[in-house]
Amino acid sequence: MRQRIFAGNWKMNLNINDGVELVNRLKSIHTESLIIVCPPFTMLDAVSKAAKDSKVMVGAQNMHFEEKGAFTGEVSADMLIELGITHVIIGHSERRQYFAETDETVNKKTLYAISKGLIPIICVGESLQQREAGNAPEVVNRQVEAAINGVNTDKLIIAYEPIWAIGTGKTASPKDAGEVITGIRDTLRRLLGDKADDISILYGGSMNGSNVNELMEQKDIDGGLIGSASLSYEKFIQLF
């Protein structure tokens, strides 16, 4: 069943005390939405312990597609699971842009996460140049198809995040975002059949309290992958 989900990607921000305090405040919120927080690796243990036995889920911002090995600086699925992590962001635009993430590695990470019982939050999105050329739907749907190649489950989340709207304060119009996300839903149906109707699709790209209602009115948008607004309790709860 599709869920209304708001996932906070804290990126390289906050510290352990800030993260724990934020989660402790979020635990008291009464909402039908699923709340996920994705802290930096250094605070996953503390935040996961703070969120234990609450409705707040904890995700990681990345993982490797191998079980173990000589991969300096990387973290495995088993390491995340050991900390009580339930979700993992895969293929974020910043990972693709700065750390050579490709459609191939996104697919490997997706398959491995699912095999381990982690729920991947798979990020897809176009650049400004691709959007201006009118290629956004083609680019995004190609990324979706590549990411879930070999997948046969609804235990995943898709996040549409136009690259040009990440951390810029710009956002796609609700109509444009809705059209792209409906295209993603159609692609999922083609590839996964009825399972597609149980997959939540989030919008990521400067979603905040001033635009959340219009975005959420779009029939195929189920929530948001939230950046800067998730670092503040007061701003984050405006979305639920």
Side-chain angles (χ1 to χ4, degrees):
M1 178 182 294
R2 286 164 58 182
Q3 289 181 290
R4 183 181 172 104
I5 300 171
F6 293 95
N9 178 13
W10 295 356
K11 305 188 181 183
M12 197 170 71
N13 294 293
L14 304 181
N15 57 40
I16 292 174
N17 289 338
D18 293 335
V20 168
E21 180 182 359
L22 179 51
V23 166
N24 282 333
R25 296 184 73 185
L26 289 172
K27 289 193 301 187
S28 65
I29 296 298
H30 298 286
T31 175
E32 296 299 318
S33 300
L34 175 64
I35 303 172
I36 306 169
V37 295
C38 300
F41 288 131
T42 55
M43 62 182 81
L44 282 176
D45 184 42
V47 169
S48 179
K49 287 175 179 174
K52 189 176 180 180
D53 298 325
S54 78
K55 292 184 177 180
V56 179
M57 301 289 101
V58 181
Q61 297 178 18
N62 186 35
M63 55 157 263
H64 202 277
F65 51 77
E66 295 286 355
E67 181 178 3
K68 59 184 177 180
F71 303 106
T72 301
E74 292 291 336
V75 174
S76 73
D78 286 338
M79 292 173 182
L80 298 178
I81 292 166
E82 190 174 35
L83 298 178
I85 305 308
T86 55
H87 295 70
V88 58
I89 298 173
I90 294 177
H92 190 279
S93 63
E94 291 158 358
R95 297 293 311 175
R96 295 177 189 254
Q97 181 178 359
Y98 302 125
F99 302 102
E101 195 85 75
T102 66
D103 287 344
E104 180 182 5
T105 58
V106 168
N107 177 245
K108 287 182 177 181
K109 290 180 180 185
T110 296
L111 292 172
Y112 196 61
I114 290 171
S115 76
K116 288 291 187 174
L118 290 169
I119 298 176
I121 303 172
I122 305 167
C123 300
V124 297
E126 81 283 0
S127 67
L128 182 59
Q129 183 179 16
Q130 290 166 331
R131 169 160 283 278
E132 290 178 341
N135 296 329
E138 176 186 349
V139 169
V140 169
N141 291 325
R142 184 175 67 241
Q143 290 175 345
V144 171
E145 187 163 358
I148 67 171
N149 183 35
V151 169
N152 187 29
T153 180
D154 58 9
K155 303 301 183 185
L156 57 92
I157 299 166
I158 302 290
Y160 167 55
E161 41 155 32
I163 295 170
W164 49 271
I166 304 301
T168 64
K170 298 179 181 179
T171 185
S173 73
K175 180 176 181 293
D176 287 344
E179 287 176 352
V180 173
I181 288 177
T182 293
I184 292 173
R185 180 84 60 200
D186 291 340
T187 296
L188 292 173
R189 287 191 181 112
R190 175 170 57 83
L191 298 171
L192 298 176
D194 292 342
K195 293 183 180 71
D197 293 323
D198 292 328
I199 295 173
S200 296
I201 306 179
L202 315 182
Y203 173 75
S206 300
M207 179 185 277
N208 55 54
S210 64
N211 59 32
V212 61
N213 289 335
E214 286 184 287
L215 286 163
M216 292 300 295
E217 286 173 356
Q218 305 301 307
K219 66 184 180 69
D220 284 303
I221 296 181
D222 300 308
L225 178 60
I226 313 301
S228 60
S230 72
L231 303 177
S232 161
Y233 171 81
E234 287 78 15
K235 292 180 179 179
F236 200 22
I237 64 170
Q238 290 180 23
L239 309 180
F240 309 153

